[in-house]
Amino acid sequence: MSDDKSPEKVLEPFKEALSFWSIQIAKPEELKKSIPPAKVEDPLGEIVKLAKLIKAQTTKVGIVFAPKNIQKQSEAPHDTVAELSKTFVFYVSALAQLSPKTISTLFLNEILEKSKDLIALATSFSDELLQILDTKNEDNGEEEGGDDNAVNPRLLSVGKIWSLCDTIVDFIEKGNLKYLQSKTTLNISLMEDGLEEFEEWLENPQDADDDDFFGLDDEFSDEEPPAAESKDDEASEDEADYEDLKKFGEQWLKQLKLVKLLFLSINKSLPSMTSGSDIDDIYATENSVARQVDSLVVELMMNKELNDEVENLDKGIEKACLKIISVLRNVNKSNETKVKWCVSWESKYKELQDAK
């Protein structure tokens, strides 16, 4: 085997390329500037094909670099690594072609994150291959260490790359709308957190402990509880304010059910050709709604009053939901049924809003 065909000749440059790509992928906005983008018709489909090819080629490299095979002094180690390196070049080039306007920043960032993990695994794999080359003169014809029970790190890296390639393929094939759906489900869960406690609190907000909102005194304080207020003090409570608070809370809970219905309907309402920009708008707005719902619950339970903060949060939730409705109506202009659903939802929400 000539020096030009030694596996080190391709492994070292491959490692350097992997290091460079890892840095560039961490800066998605500059990816196209540093890596020439591919010009394929379907970059997502290309990435799927290349991920499958990387999986197959990694298997081949793992077999060729088995200690009993590496001793044969053939050109196979050089050639298999060269093939794998070339496939990674195509893979990263296809990544650079992806556009957030088409697939959404949300989806793109997750693909890049998984690809960064793949590059990190390939780097570790390369290090392990170099270690095998360093010890290849120890002609024992067995796996490293000669221990049948030992785990060969080379095989461990191959398995990890297999798994991640499968994950990337599965993720892309499910598509950006499926990923948005998973994020929507998470936002629904965030909104529902604490609502059961809020509903219980709403039954008797005047009886809640203002000074120990989180119930810490019961477990950690040795002090005697304060004396109960006199009946005269209790009678002085502004019952009208609590009635208004309860009315607001009850109506708001009804609205929240509509918000949940809206979130559950998003994925069903979006056509497959929804632009990446619309997906990003919906996701950002969902996040805004979830945060404001949480803040509104805390504000009501902590301060027990319909103050300016409550009003601003309430209006913010309404504005955000109507923005989602606007996007859904816009992407379904030609679907009369879906447009009517949006109109109906908006009407019901405003009806509840006016009743508060």
Side-chain angles (χ1 to χ4, degrees):
M1 179 178 64
S2 67
D3 288 342
D4 289 340
K5 282 288 188 175
S6 67
E8 290 90 347
K9 290 285 186 179
V10 286
L11 270 172
E12 291 294 352
F14 183 38
K15 273 192 61 181
E16 292 175 6
L18 289 169
S19 177
F20 173 76
W21 294 330
S22 179
I23 294 171
Q24 302 311 311
I25 286 178
K27 301 178 288 185
E29 66 282 354
E30 299 180 15
L31 194 58
K32 285 183 172 62
K33 299 177 184 177
S34 55
I35 298 173
K39 297 179 180 179
V40 296
E41 184 176 345
D42 178 16
L44 282 176
E46 187 71 8
I47 291 171
V48 166
K49 288 191 294 184
L50 292 169
K52 292 178 179 178
L53 186 55
I54 287 171
K55 178 181 176 180
Q57 290 176 337
T58 300
T59 304
K60 189 175 180 181
V61 171
I63 293 171
V64 169
F65 272 77
K68 62 182 179 181
N69 294 329
I70 201 71
Q71 301 293 333
K72 296 177 182 178
Q73 300 293 321
S74 70
E75 296 179 355
H78 171 280
D79 293 345
T80 53
V81 172
E83 289 173 0
L84 180 61
S85 177
K86 187 176 180 180
T87 302
F88 264 96
V89 171
F90 292 142
Y91 182 93
V92 176
S93 182
L95 286 179
Q97 188 184 346
L98 296 177
S99 168
K101 293 181 180 179
T102 304
I103 66 171
S104 80
T105 299
L106 175 69
F107 196 56
L108 174 59
N109 285 346
E110 188 64 19
I111 292 173
L112 293 178
E113 194 62 34
K114 293 182 187 303
S115 297
K116 187 177 178 181
D117 291 342
L118 180 60
I119 287 172
L121 284 177
T123 302
S124 298
F125 186 42
S126 299
D127 287 334
E128 290 158 4
L129 296 179
L130 286 169
Q131 289 176 7
I132 290 174
L133 292 174
D134 288 341
T135 59
K136 72 177 181 178
N137 291 326
E138 298 176 12
D139 188 12
N140 52 29
E142 299 177 357
E143 293 292 325
E144 293 157 19
D147 183 355
D148 291 337
N149 296 318
V151 176
N152 188 332
R154 173 181 55 80
L155 299 178
L156 193 60
S157 286
V158 170
K160 288 180 179 179
I161 292 174
W162 282 358
S163 178
L164 188 50
C165 285
D166 287 342
T167 298
I168 291 171
V169 169
D170 181 64
F171 179 75
I172 292 177
E173 288 183 340
K174 284 181 177 177
N176 52 8
L177 293 183
K178 195 70 176 178
Y179 187 50
L180 174 63
Q181 183 181 27
S182 70
K183 292 295 187 180
T184 301
T185 301
L186 178 60
N187 275 324
I188 291 173
S189 177
L190 291 173
M191 287 193 298
E192 290 178 336
D193 283 349
L195 281 182
E196 183 177 345
E197 182 181 353
F198 176 71
E199 290 185 68
E200 292 177 1
W201 172 87
L202 194 59
E203 292 177 4
N204 292 291
Q206 66 272 27
D207 294 338
D209 189 346
D210 291 333
D211 297 324
D212 186 27
F213 178 68
F214 295 104
L216 297 178
D217 284 349
D218 293 341
E219 295 185 29
F220 299 106
S221 177
D222 294 328
E223 297 179 6
E224 291 293 325
E229 293 182 4
S230 68
K231 291 183 179 180
D232 290 340
D233 290 335
E234 291 178 0
S236 67
E237 291 283 357
D238 191 345
E239 294 295 336
D241 285 346
Y242 281 118
E243 285 303 314
D244 288 342
L245 183 62
K246 287 186 66 175
K247 179 183 177 183
F248 177 91
E250 288 166 357
Q251 291 296 110
W252 182 75
L253 283 173
K254 292 177 183 177
Q255 285 180 296
L256 194 59
K257 290 180 180 178
L258 276 179
V259 174
K260 182 179 177 180
L261 176 62
L262 173 61
F263 277 32
L264 289 171
S265 302
I266 286 174
N267 197 256
K268 299 176 184 177
S269 302
L270 292 174
S272 59
M273 298 305 292
T274 301
S275 72
S277 300
D278 284 336
I279 290 174
D280 286 330
D281 277 348
I282 288 174
Y283 176 60
T285 310
E286 280 183 7
N287 283 343
S288 174
V289 171
R291 287 195 303 270
Q292 290 182 92
V293 166
D294 181 66
S295 297
L296 183 55
V297 168
V298 172
E299 183 65 29
L300 288 173
M301 294 180 72
M302 287 286 286
N303 294 317
K304 298 183 183 179
E305 62 178 1
L306 301 178
N307 53 28
D308 290 342
E309 180 67 13
V310 170
E311 183 179 353
N312 290 335
L313 288 168
D314 184 43
K315 289 181 178 178
I317 293 169
E318 179 184 19
K319 182 179 179 181
C321 288
L322 293 181
K323 182 178 180 180
I324 293 176
I325 285 290
S326 176
V327 174
L328 295 182
R329 291 178 68 171
N330 186 56
V331 299
N332 288 292
K333 290 178 181 177
S334 59
N335 191 318
E336 186 178 350
T337 301
K338 290 182 179 179
V339 170
K340 283 184 177 179
W341 186 92
C342 291
V343 172
S344 175
W345 187 95
E346 186 174 349
S347 175
K348 289 178 182 177
Y349 191 92
K350 287 184 175 180
E351 181 182 331
L352 290 172
Q353 188 77 344
D354 293 339
K356 286 193 294 197

